[in-house]
């Protein structure tokens, strides 16, 4: 028994070195040549870091394409979903309020056609994407507020639609930060 | 929408295709036959030498269990130490505090039993040191513990009459060096090249495009996420696990992570057949598991892709499905796939919030944990399935009026008692825990108001889910539950402990007892266990036990919620 404890203790130490020292060191080493050097892929605009490519951020100014609702208000030093049950009356009412607000903000959208992701909170609270439908529904408003032709803005969305892997696997998305960056660049020209 | 379905078909298909060769490989490695990975033997011999282990010494089933439990106690002490003092230890760039004693207890137990009940958020609750030498260490060694225990049972079934069942340390070490580490390295590299952080820098403050101040949490995440999936532990680096855009940045990483959840459990089921040189037995087990899994999976995908009916009258276009708690880059189909795979395998990582699943999908996730044997956790899933095989053999024996036998060994009263205790412990833990919690809540709803985030039937489901998850050593949650309180930390901690070790001790004991018995050669009257008929028998045994035990509780929670919408 005593022998057993000693062996178990020494094996634990040896495995700590192997699994928690050598293995993460290898992955860390590889990260140094990966995009973003393992720090997360950052996005810059006019020489200033404005965000991470994969981490969503809040866009509540109407001249930007909006992100999805977030249970943590896009504070990325945390993360969280709403954890609301599907039939919770308070939740259903909240979605109703969001639908009304979306229709008010985007008068060109017909009732019944509000894209679902624009009125439901994501799992992480940091979802960087919306669907193409979610982006197209906002084109008229963004173009109007920026004084741009709607066709220009629509073309910009077209260019930012991310196809599924091999055009076959997975959903179609639009990265909101990249779309808004391109929008700012277009407006500044 | 069809690309979403193609995506999940590709994930499932690829997993099965990889599991077959991996199953053969596992059998080779555990038998000690020659394999391409023999170049790792010097590393293993070095580990044995450093630890003073004689790999040639064979152990009885009692010695196996003694060894397993001893090393587990050491790990518990180690983890408690790390979590209780992490605030003053190095690698803490964000200045996170040490854990309270009851939370450290819950966390240490949770990861010790290869679960990931997390009553904290990784961003603020742990330091980088805790993530690596506490959480990630346990993710490796507890997965290997389950695999080693599983191999002991394989051995007992193989040997015609033996009391020596191999060396525990050998199976344990090989599980790490030849399976978990190499696969983790592959997945870890894929993750860093897809954008998952692997850094020791703290969170980064920045000003967003529209001018808000925010900060983004990071850390040495990629290495840990790989083993969290492969070892069916599931504990996330960030609070929301693989729903987090840095933990699971692209659809490709989602495919790879999801595949890693079920890969080893599937392969182990097949390895049983290859190890015993009865491949049909492995296919029978795999077939029963897959049929049962699909029974839960198919309706869940359908339901999630068809949206939340409670929102139907609000004028929302739900062509993309029910998206509350889900991520756009993953979509409703891949979220539904993950929800069931993570619950049937006792993995517990999530890529969508289960609390917001439509009611019947939430029920299917719970059923995955209530049965806890469809693929199951690495090693332990097969041990649970083994218990059901014993029960099915016994019932079949009674039906045809013969002494029940499994692979030439008589199943007698002692083995049956152990099997039934293990089979019934699970519902007892789930229903007993939920009943106590519900009683407490009802007797003083104001005091415990912070427990439940949702009213009515769904609130009950939140409590039921938590104990189901603890008893299945799963770790996912209906996270609306306010679970970082002494009641939840301690009660689920106890459930976790009992539900981990008894279901390992029981099957190993049964197998050890069987191994010591006289071998009876097969005859025309022998019950053949590697047939579809017997597979059907096991299938019904599992589902009947689950239905009898859990239907009333499910009727009060998810079923009542479902019918309250009025489809």
């Amino acid at each position: 028994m005593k022998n057993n404890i000693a062996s178990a203790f020494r094996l634990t130490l040896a495995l700590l070195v192997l699994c928690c020292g050598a293995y993460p060191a290898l992955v860390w080493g590889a990260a140094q040549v990966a995009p973003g050097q393992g720090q997360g892929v950052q996005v810059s605009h006019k020489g200033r870091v404005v965000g991470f490519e994969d981490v969503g951020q809040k866009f509540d100014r109407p001249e930007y394409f909006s992100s999805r609702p977030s249970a943590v208000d896009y504070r990325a030093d945390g993360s969280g979903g709403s954890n609301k049950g599907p039939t919770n009356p308070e939740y259903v009412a909240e979605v109703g309020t969001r639908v009304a607000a979306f229709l008010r903000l985007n008068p060109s959208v017909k009732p019944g056609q509000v894209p679902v992701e624009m009125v439901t909170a994501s799992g992480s609270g940091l979802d960087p994407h919306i669907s193409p439908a979610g982006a197209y529904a906002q084109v008229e408003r963004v173009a109007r507020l920026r004084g741009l032709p709607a066709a220009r803005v629509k073309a910009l969305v077209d260019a930012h639609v991310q196809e599924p892997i091999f055009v076959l696997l997975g959903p179609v998305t639009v990265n909101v930060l990249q779309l808004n960056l391109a929008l700012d660049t277009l407006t500044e020209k | 929408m069809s690309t979403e379905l193609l995506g999940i078909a590709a994930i499932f298909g690829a997993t099965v295709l990889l599991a077959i060769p991996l199953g053969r490989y596992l059998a080779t490695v555990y038998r000690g036959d020659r394999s391409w990975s023999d170049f790792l033997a010097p590393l293993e011999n070095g580990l044995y030498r450093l630890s003073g282990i004689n790999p040639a010494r064979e152990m009885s089933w009692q010695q196996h269990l003694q060894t397993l439990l001893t090393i587990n106690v050491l790990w518990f002490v180690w983890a408690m130490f790390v979590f209780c003092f992490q605030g003053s230890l190095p690698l803490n760039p964000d200045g996170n505090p040490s854990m309270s004693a009851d939370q450290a207890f819950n966390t240490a137990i949770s990861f010790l039993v290869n679960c990931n009940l997390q009553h904290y958020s990784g961003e603020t609750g742990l330091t980088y040191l805790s993530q690596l030498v506490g959480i990630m260490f346990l993710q490796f060694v507890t997965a290997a513990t389950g695999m080693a225990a599983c191999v002991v049972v394989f051995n007992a079934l193989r040997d015609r009459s033996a009391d020596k069942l191999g060396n525990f340390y050998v199976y344990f070490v090989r599980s790490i060096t030849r399976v978990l580490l190499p696969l983790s390295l592959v997945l870890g590299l894929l993750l860093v090249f897809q954008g998952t952080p692997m850094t020791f820098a703290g969170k980064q403050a920045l000003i967003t495009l529209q001018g808000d101040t925010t900060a983004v949490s990071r850390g040495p995440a990629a290495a840990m996420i790989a083993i969290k999936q492969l070892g069916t532990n599931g504990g996330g680096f960030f609070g929301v696990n693989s729903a987090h855009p840095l933990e699971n940045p692209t659809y490709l990483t989602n495919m790879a992570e999801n595949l890693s959840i079920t890969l080893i459990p599937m392969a182990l089921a097949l390895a049983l057949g290859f190890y015993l040189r009865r491949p049909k037995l492995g296919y029978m087990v795999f077939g029963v598991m897959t049929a049962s899994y699909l029974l839960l999976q198919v309706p869940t995908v359908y339901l999630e892709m068809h949206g939340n009916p409670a929102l139907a009258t609000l004028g929302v276009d739900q062509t993309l499905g029910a998206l509350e708690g889900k991520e756009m880059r993953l979509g409703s189909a891949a979220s539904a796939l993950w929800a069931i795979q993570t619950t049937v395998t006792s993995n517990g990582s999530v890529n969508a919030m289960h609390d917001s699943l439509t009611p019947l999908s939430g029920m299917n996730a719970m059923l995955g944990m209530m049965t806890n044997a469809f693929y199951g956790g690495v090693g332990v899933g097969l041990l649970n399935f083994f218990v059901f095989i014993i029960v099915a053999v016994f019932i079949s024996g009674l039906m045809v009026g013969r002494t029940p036998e499994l692979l030439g060994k008589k199943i007698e009263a002692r083995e049956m008692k152990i099997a039934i205790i293990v089979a019934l412990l699970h519902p007892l833990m789930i229903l007993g825990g939920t009943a106590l919690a519900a009683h407490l809540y009802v007797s003083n709803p104001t005091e415990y108001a912070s427990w439940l985030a949702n009213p009515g039937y769904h609130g009950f489901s939140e409590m039921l889910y938590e104990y189901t998850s603890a008893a299945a050593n799963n770790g996912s949650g209906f996270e609306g539950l306010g679970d970082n309180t002494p009641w939840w930390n301690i009660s689920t901690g106890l459930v976790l402990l009992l539900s981990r070790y008894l279901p390992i001790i029981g099957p190993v004991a049964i197998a050890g007892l069987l191994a010591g018995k006289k071998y009876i050669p097969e005859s025309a009257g022998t019950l053949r266990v590697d047939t579809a008929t017997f597979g059907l028998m096991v299938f019904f045994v599992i589902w009947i036990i689950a239905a009898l035990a859990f239907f009333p509780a499910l009727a009060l929670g998810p079923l009542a919620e479902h019918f309250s919408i009025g489809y």
Side-chain angles (χ1 to χ4, degrees):
Chain A
M1 187 68 203
K2 221 166 103 189
N3 234 335
N4 218 343
I5 297 178
S7 292
F9 184 74
R10 284 153 66 181
L11 184 61
T12 299
L13 286 185
L15 288 177
L16 272 169
V17 174
L18 182 66
C19 299
C20 307
Y23 159 67
L26 274 175
V27 180
W28 181 86
Q32 303 314 305
V33 294
Q37 287 79 46
Q39 313 269 324
V41 183
Q42 304 186 346
V43 180
S44 294
H45 182 58
K46 291 193 280 190
R48 175 172 77 84
V49 175
V50 292
F52 285 74
E53 186 180 281
D54 295 322
V55 182
Q57 46 184 259
K58 184 165 79 175
F59 286 104
D60 54 359
R61 287 178 27 196
E63 68 271 28
Y64 283 111
F65 284 91
S66 317
S67 300
R68 298 182 61 186
S70 160
V72 295
D73 202 25
Y74 285 96
R75 281 191 301 269
D77 50 356
S79 54
S82 72
N83 289 312
K84 295 289 186 208
T87 61
N88 184 337
E90 194 188 304
Y91 164 69
V92 175
E94 190 181 353
V95 174
T97 316
R98 288 185 191 140
V99 171
F102 191 85
L103 289 171
R104 215 174 315 114
L105 195 61
N106 302 283
S108 62
V109 176
K110 291 190 195 76
Q113 294 182 355
V114 177
V116 58
E117 81 273 15
M118 300 312 297
V119 292
T120 51
S122 62
S124 62
L126 309 172
D127 195 341
H129 297 109
I130 54 177
S131 72
Y136 289 127
Q138 305 181 58
V139 162
E140 182 275 335
R141 171 195 96 222
V142 171
R144 172 163 43 83
L145 292 176
R146 295 225 170 205
L148 291 165
R152 283 276 312 268
V153 179
K154 184 176 170 297
L156 201 64
V157 175
D158 289 339
H160 281 82
V161 171
Q162 294 173 348
E163 289 294 333
I165 303 175
F166 310 131
V167 207
L168 280 179
L169 311 177
V172 190
T173 56
V174 174
N175 183 307
V176 185
L177 174 59
Q178 285 174 341
L179 176 61
N180 281 330
L181 259 179
L183 191 64
D184 268 4
T185 313
L186 185 75
T187 316
E188 281 152 16
K189 264 186 203 156
Chain B
M1 203 146 102
S2 58
T3 57
E4 290 197 38
L5 283 175
L6 274 176
I8 62 172
I11 295 170
F12 184 69
T15 318
V16 175
L17 285 181
L18 288 173
I20 297 170
L22 183 62
R24 285 184 203 283
Y25 170 73
L26 289 173
T28 313
V29 164
Y30 291 129
R31 280 174 157 271
D33 294 348
R34 275 183 45 178
S35 101
W36 61 268
S37 60
D38 284 343
F39 72 92
L40 291 163
L43 173 67
E44 291 154 3
N45 290 332
L47 288 172
Y48 301 142
R49 231 185 349 269
L50 279 174
S51 327
I53 290 166
N54 172 12
R57 186 176 81 96
E58 296 229 16
M59 300 178 179
S60 66
W61 67 268
Q62 294 96 331
Q63 287 169 324
H64 272 287
L65 288 176
Q66 196 188 53
T67 311
L68 183 154
L69 293 173
T70 308
I71 200 164
N72 270 254
V73 171
L74 280 184
W75 296 336
F76 174 72
V77 176
W78 168 246
M80 274 302 275
F81 168 77
V82 173
F83 298 145
C84 284
F85 297 103
Q86 60 176 7
S88 357
L89 293 170
L91 294 185
N92 184 11
D94 295 338
N96 291 339
S98 296
M99 278 189 175
S100 68
D102 61 304
Q103 198 187 25
F105 170 78
N106 186 279
T107 309
I109 294 283
S110 174
F111 283 87
L112 182 71
V113 303
N114 196 30
C115 182
N116 64 314
L117 218 55
Q118 293 167 294
H119 294 174
Y120 63 89
S121 263
E123 294 93 330
T124 49
L126 287 180
T127 65
Y128 293 170
L129 185 82
S130 290
Q131 297 269 25
L132 290 181
V133 307
I135 302 289
M136 193 179 78
F137 176 69
L138 291 176
Q139 289 174 334
F140 272 106
V141 294
T142 59
T145 301
M147 293 165 85
C150 188
V151 181
V152 176
V153 172
F154 285 7
N155 264 339
L157 295 178
R158 177 178 64 164
D159 292 327
R160 297 209 155 179
S161 211
D163 50 0
K164 294 295 180 193
L165 301 172
N167 183 296
F168 178 81
Y169 289 121
V170 170
Y171 303 138
F172 170 73
V173 167
R174 279 195 193 153
S175 302
I176 292 180
T177 53
R178 307 227 181 172
V179 186
L180 296 173
L181 265 178
L183 287 175
S184 299
L185 200 56
V186 173
L187 183 57
L189 291 181
L190 175 80
L191 287 170
V192 286
F193 280 94
Q194 286 286 307
T196 298
M198 185 69 199
T199 176
F200 291 93
K203 58 188 169 195
Q204 177 167 342
L206 56 86
I207 295 173
T208 66
L209 188 61
Q210 74 164 9
D212 301 321
T213 306
T214 185
V216 178
S217 281
R218 298 177 293 180
M224 175 178 153
I225 295 164
I227 181 62
K228 118 187 161 186
Q229 302 296 40
L230 287 158
T232 62
N233 173 279
F237 192 92
F238 300 102
V240 290
N241 212 301
S242 283
H244 196 288
L246 291 176
E247 189 141 348
N248 190 9
T250 63
Y251 196 77
L252 184 66
T253 60
N254 186 67
M255 292 180 79
E257 288 188 30
N258 196 333
L259 182 152
S260 306
I261 292 176
T262 35
L263 180 62
I264 298 179
M266 273 187 193
L268 272 169
L270 295 165
L272 168 71
F274 299 132
Y275 192 90
L276 300 179
R277 304 218 191 280
R278 290 170 179 269
K280 271 182 72 188
L281 180 63
Y283 294 127
M284 182 280 282
V285 173
F286 181 78
V288 173
M289 289 176 164
T290 303
S292 301
Y293 152 73
L294 288 174
L295 215 57
L296 298 172
Q297 183 69 79
V298 172
T300 306
V301 170
Y302 175 86
L303 287 164
E304 293 309 299
M305 292 185 79
H306 279 76
N308 175 2
L311 304 183
T313 53
L314 296 177
V316 181
D317 173 11
Q318 295 201 73
T319 23
L320 292 176
L323 286 180
E324 181 71 34
K326 296 194 183 68
E327 301 286 300
M328 295 308 291
R329 66 190 177 285
L330 312 179
S332 51
S335 302
L337 183 81
W338 185 302
I340 296 304
Q341 294 206 346
T342 195
T343 43
V344 293
T345 57
S346 120
N347 183 293
S349 64
V350 296
N351 72 352
M353 296 302 112
H354 288 193
D355 218 344
S356 302
L357 292 174
T358 54
L360 293 186
S361 299
M363 179 177 80
N364 289 342
M366 282 194 248
L367 274 169
M369 299 184 285
M370 287 165 170
T371 47
N372 205 21
F374 307 143
Y375 310 131
V378 285
V380 290
L382 204 50
L383 295 184
N384 286 331
F385 197 88
F386 176 68
V387 167
F388 290 121
I389 290 183
I390 299 284
V391 177
V393 164
F394 185 75
I395 294 174
S396 310
L398 292 184
M399 285 165 75
V400 296
R402 281 183 57 96
T403 316
E405 280 167 27
L406 174 64
L407 302 175
K409 302 296 175 71
K410 273 191 189 148
I411 309 267
E412 290 169 297
R414 203 147 50 133
E415 293 83 55
M416 269 317 288
K417 278 184 199 154
I418 302 175
I420 289 298
I421 288 174
V422 172
L424 294 186
L425 173 82
H426 191 56
L428 177 71
M429 289 291 126
I430 295 172
L431 300 174
T434 310
L436 275 178
H439 173 74
L440 273 179
Y441 182 82
V442 169
S443 57
N444 197 348
T446 37
E447 160 130 19
Y448 300 113
S450 65
W451 279 9
L452 304 182
N454 293 286
Y457 309 123
H458 197 84
F460 177 77
S461 297
E462 287 183 333
M463 295 191 281
L464 178 64
Y465 194 103
E466 186 74 2
Y467 283 106
T468 307
S469 176
N473 286 182
N474 182 279
S476 63
F478 272 13
E479 293 297 342
L481 186 76
D483 50 17
N484 186 21
T485 65
W487 165 264
W488 289 100
N489 282 335
I490 294 168
S491 70
T492 55
L494 294 176
V495 170
L496 285 167
L497 270 181
L498 286 170
S499 304
R500 164 75 169 182
Y501 292 106
L502 292 183
I504 287 182
I505 294 170
V508 170
I510 294 174
L513 291 171
L514 289 183
K517 292 189 186 194
K518 204 162 70 79
Y519 178 77
I520 309 157
E522 279 186 30
S523 69
T526 305
L527 171 72
R528 296 185 54 105
V529 291
D530 52 2
T531 57
T533 317
F534 184 72
L536 210 61
M537 189 73 199
V538 183
F539 178 90
F540 281 113
V541 163
I542 297 177
W543 279 108
I544 288 171
I545 291 179
L548 289 176
F550 296 114
F551 180 76
L554 291 171
L556 291 175
L559 284 172
E561 187 182 10
H562 171 78
F563 289 114
S564 74
I565 321 175
Y567 273 82

